[in-house]
Amino acid sequence: MAIIAGLLYLFLQRENEDMQKTTSQTSQHIASWQKITITEAMNNSVIDINLPKIMIYGNYDLQSKVNEAITQHIEYLKDWFISGVTTVAEKDKEASTLNVDAEILLMTPRLISLAFTSTEHLAGSKDKDPKRMFLVFDLAKGESLKEGNELFRDDVAWSEAVRAMKASLLADYQGDPNCDLFFAPKYNGFVASCIGVDLSRGRKHLSITGDISISTIQEFLAPSILFDIIQ
Amino acid sequence: MIKIVQLKISKIKYGGDSIGRNIRLELEILGQFFRIDKRVKAGTTVEINHEVGRFETDRGLFQADLLVTVVEKDLIFNDVGSTKGSVKINTASAKPQQFIFKVQVKETRSIFGKLWGTKNAVFEITLDVEESDAIKYTPDVEEGKGKGWLIVKFAGEPDKSLPAYIKLKMERADAKREYFTILEGAYRGKSASVEISSDNSLRLITGIKHEPPARITYSISKKVLTLKGKKYKADDDSKNPWKKGLYDIEIPDHPHEGGLKYPEAGRGTVWFKIGHSGERYLHPGRVSAGCISITETTRWMEIYDSLIKARKGDFMSVGILEIID
C-alpha cells in the first residue's frame, strides 16, 4: 500500500515529465532535454523546469557527476522558491510559480557551460526580474568550477577579468548597483550577470545579464580556454 | 501596534491581626498561574518585584480578570482567603500604572465540626504594570540551501531576505501573518510581514540577546584573520589593496549567491560588508577580487557564529575590523 501511495505521490508531483529531442552534440557529449512540472496543491505552487540531461559516452561516472551538478543547481533554485512560498506567498491567491529554463552555452571536450534563467512569482508579492546563473563543469577535473579562476591565467588575471566584466556589464546602468558577478564561457565570448540590489532605488532587487565580448577578457584568459572558446 | 504588557507583584502589605508568618501568594491571570512563598510578619510590607505574566496586545485597553489567593500555612490549619478582580491597562499611556488588591484572611480553627477563631488579617497586594513595544527577532533559518535568510514580504515591492537575529518591532498579527517594522540593518525602518507557520506557530522569535561588538584583525602580509584569539587563513586582492585602519563590519545585507559554491561553509551566502560604502565583504571563498575571502571555508561557521549576534550599537554594524600590515 505504501509503495502504491509513494508511486501515486511521485506521479502527482511530476505530472508532466518527458524527454525531448537531443539538441547538441560534440565528439563525446550529447545533451537531451527533460521538461519537468511539479505541482504542489498544498502550497498552491507550480514549478516548471526545463533542464538538459548530459550524456557522455564511455564515461558513466563523469556523466553522473555533470548531471548531479545540474540537479544540485536546480535544487537550490527550488529550495529558495519553496522558502519564499512558505513565508511570503499568500496561498489563497493565485498560484506561486517558478520557471527554470536552461541553456547550453558551450560544450567542448574539456568544458560544459550552462546558463539557468529562473523566473519566480510569489502570490501576493511583486515580481523580481528574472535571474540568470551559470554552471561550468570541468570534464578534465570532474567537478564544477567554483569561482571560475581556473579559466584565467592566474588569480590576479581572474580578479582583473572580474572587474573588467562587471564594468562592461554595468557600463550603461543608471543607478548605484551593489551586485555580485556571475559568468560563464560561451562560444566566442562570455555571458555574465550581476545579481544584488540598487542602493539608489531603496535596495531594489537587481538582476542584469549580458554578453561579454572576447576582446574584453582575452588578455586574462588561460591559452587553452581561449582556444576552446574561439573554436 | 503590538505592545507587551508585563505584570509584576511589587509588594505585599500584611495588615490587621497576625495569623501567622508563612504566607503563600497565588495569582491566576489569563491562564497563567503564579505562586510565591514568603515569610511575612504582621504589620510589615515586603518587597517582591517578581514578574507574574507577560502578555501581547494590539488594543488600546488591555483588560483581564484575575484571582488572588493568600494562604497562611500551618501544620494543621491553613487559613485561606481570596479575591477576584480585574486589571484595565491603558497601553497608550506612558505613565506607570499600579493596581492594589485586598485579600482578607480569617483565622479558622475546627475540631469535631466546631469552629472558632476571631482574627482577621488583611493583605494588600500591589501589582505594577510595565508596557513596552513588542520586540521579536528573525530566526536563524536552518532549512534549504539558502540557510541563514528569512524571506519576508514588503508591501508593494518584491520579497526581501533578512539575516538571522534582526531586531523587529511588532506592529500587529492576524490569523495568517505577523507584521513588523525592521529596526536595524540594511532595511531599517521598513515595514514587512511574514506568514505564520503551517502548524500555526509563530515564525519570529523572542529572547535573543545581542552581544558586544566583535573585534577582528586582518594582516595583509600574513593573510591571516584573527577573531577571538583564533586565526583563519584568508586572501585579499593585491591589485585592489586594503588601506591600513579601522572599518565597521556591517550586519549582512542580502544573500550573496556566490557563496552557494561552498556548501561546506554552512551559511556561505551570508556575507558581512566591510565599511559602509563600496562592495567589499568578508566571506568564504578561494580567491579575492577585492574582498577578504576566508579560504578555510569549512571554518566559516565559527566566524558567522561570532558575528551574527554581535552589535556595535549603530543599528548597522556587528563590530570593527582592523587592517594591519
Side-chain angles (χ1 to χ4, degrees), chain A residues 91-178:
Chain A
K91 316 288 187 296
D92 51 355
K93 291 203 170 179
E94 76 279 10
S96 296
T97 56
L98 170 68
N99 285 285
V100 183
D101 258 317
E103 175 192 352
I104 294 178
L105 300 169
L106 181 75
M107 280 216 302
T108 73
R110 181 177 166 187
L111 290 175
I112 294 181
S113 174
L114 298 122
F116 299 89
T117 304
S118 57
T119 311
E120 190 180 282
H121 170 68
L122 296 176
S125 199
K126 202 172 172 186
D127 292 344
K128 290 177 181 172
D129 291 336
K131 196 165 67 176
R132 199 166 192 216
M133 293 179 74
F134 310 101
L135 172 70
V136 184
F137 198 92
D138 186 331
L139 295 164
K141 289 184 178 170
E143 61 184 27
S144 49
L145 304 185
K146 289 188 184 289
E147 306 285 358
N149 50 328
E150 301 89 338
L151 302 173
F152 298 90
R153 286 199 322 267
D154 53 32
D155 290 354
V156 173
W158 168 82
S159 67
E160 287 184 302
V162 166
R163 273 191 288 279
M165 285 191 276
K166 197 165 178 177
S168 166
L169 194 63
L170 299 175
D172 297 326
Y173 184 76
Q174 302 293 314
D176 186 5
N178 176 314

Side-chain angles (χ1 to χ4, degrees), chain B residues 39-320:
Chain B
R39 279 179 71 80
V40 188
K41 197 176 168 184
T44 64
T45 301
V46 177
E47 301 283 334
I48 304 288
N49 285 326
H50 209 292
E51 185 179 306
V52 173
R54 193 179 277 255
F55 309 95
E56 277 186 17
T57 180
D58 59 358
R59 297 185 175 186
L61 188 70
F62 173 81
Q63 186 169 356
D65 293 333
L66 52 74
L67 175 67
V68 185
T69 303
V70 176
V71 182
E72 195 288 311
K73 296 188 293 178
D74 279 327
L75 274 176
I76 305 171
F77 302 107
N78 278 352
D79 301 319
V80 182
S82 62
T83 190
K84 283 183 180 174
S86 69
V87 288
K88 284 182 186 171
I89 298 157
N90 179 3
T91 59
S93 169
K95 291 179 186 170
Q97 295 169 72
Q98 206 171 62
F99 298 88
I100 296 172
F101 298 92
K102 285 187 178 177
V103 181
Q104 200 170 57
V105 182
K106 189 177 179 188
E107 184 185 49
T108 309
R109 300 290 181 263
S110 164
I111 293 180
F112 305 126
K114 290 205 168 185
L115 297 167
W116 74 93
T118 56
K119 292 178 180 174
N120 273 304
V122 179
F123 293 87
E124 269 186 24
I125 317 299
T126 306
L127 284 183
D128 283 348
V129 177
E130 286 178 17
E131 50 91 11
S132 57
D133 291 338
I135 298 294
K136 288 192 178 183
Y137 298 84
T138 51
D140 193 356
V141 176
E142 294 280 348
E143 314 92 40
K145 290 192 167 57
K147 288 176 183 174
W149 296 101
L150 178 72
I151 307 176
V152 299
K153 184 180 174 186
F154 276 47
E157 290 183 51
D159 59 281
K160 311 239 187 250
S161 299
L162 299 179
Y165 310 130
I166 291 289
K167 194 174 184 180
L168 312 168
K169 186 171 83 176
M170 303 310 296
E171 301 294 349
R172 64 192 171 92
D174 58 28
K176 291 178 180 172
R177 309 183 79 81
E178 292 179 273
Y179 299 83
F180 51 85
T181 301
I182 300 162
L183 295 181
E184 56 181 0
Y187 297 105
R188 185 179 176 215
K190 291 265 191 179
S191 298
S193 71
V194 69
E195 179 112 342
I196 289 167
S197 300
S198 53
D199 62 359
N200 286 330
S201 63
L202 300 176
R203 208 172 286 280
L204 305 172
I205 57 175
T206 54
I208 296 300
K209 278 196 172 176
H210 284 154
E211 293 164 3
R215 285 198 72 91
I216 300 180
T217 56
Y218 176 66
S219 164
I220 302 168
S221 59
K222 293 178 183 165
K223 310 282 183 222
V224 168
L225 183 128
T226 307
L227 169 62
K228 290 185 175 174
K230 291 183 178 174
K231 294 186 185 305
Y232 301 88
K233 289 178 191 163
D235 199 10
D236 60 79
D237 181 5
S238 58
K239 291 275 184 178
N240 188 9
W242 285 89
K243 283 184 184 165
K244 283 184 273 182
L246 296 173
Y247 299 81
D248 280 345
I249 309 165
E250 284 195 351
I251 295 167
D253 47 9
H254 56 265
H256 294 266
E257 287 159 284
L260 287 167
K261 296 160 191 162
Y262 302 99
E264 72 280 10
R267 300 282 187 279
T269 61
V270 185
W271 297 10
F272 297 87
K273 188 171 167 182
I274 300 169
H276 299 297
S277 59
E279 292 183 82
R280 296 179 131 189
Y281 288 85
L282 176 65
H283 65 80
R286 278 188 190 170
V287 282
S288 166
C291 299
I292 293 178
S293 303
I294 300 299
T295 53
E296 289 184 275
T297 50
T298 53
R299 297 180 67 198
W300 175 247
M301 279 305 286
E302 292 175 28
I303 295 169
Y304 172 87
D305 285 337
S306 293
L307 297 185
I308 197 70
K309 274 189 193 171
R311 291 293 184 271
K312 194 185 164 207
D314 60 357
F315 307 105
M316 281 302 288
S317 311
V318 297
I320 294 167

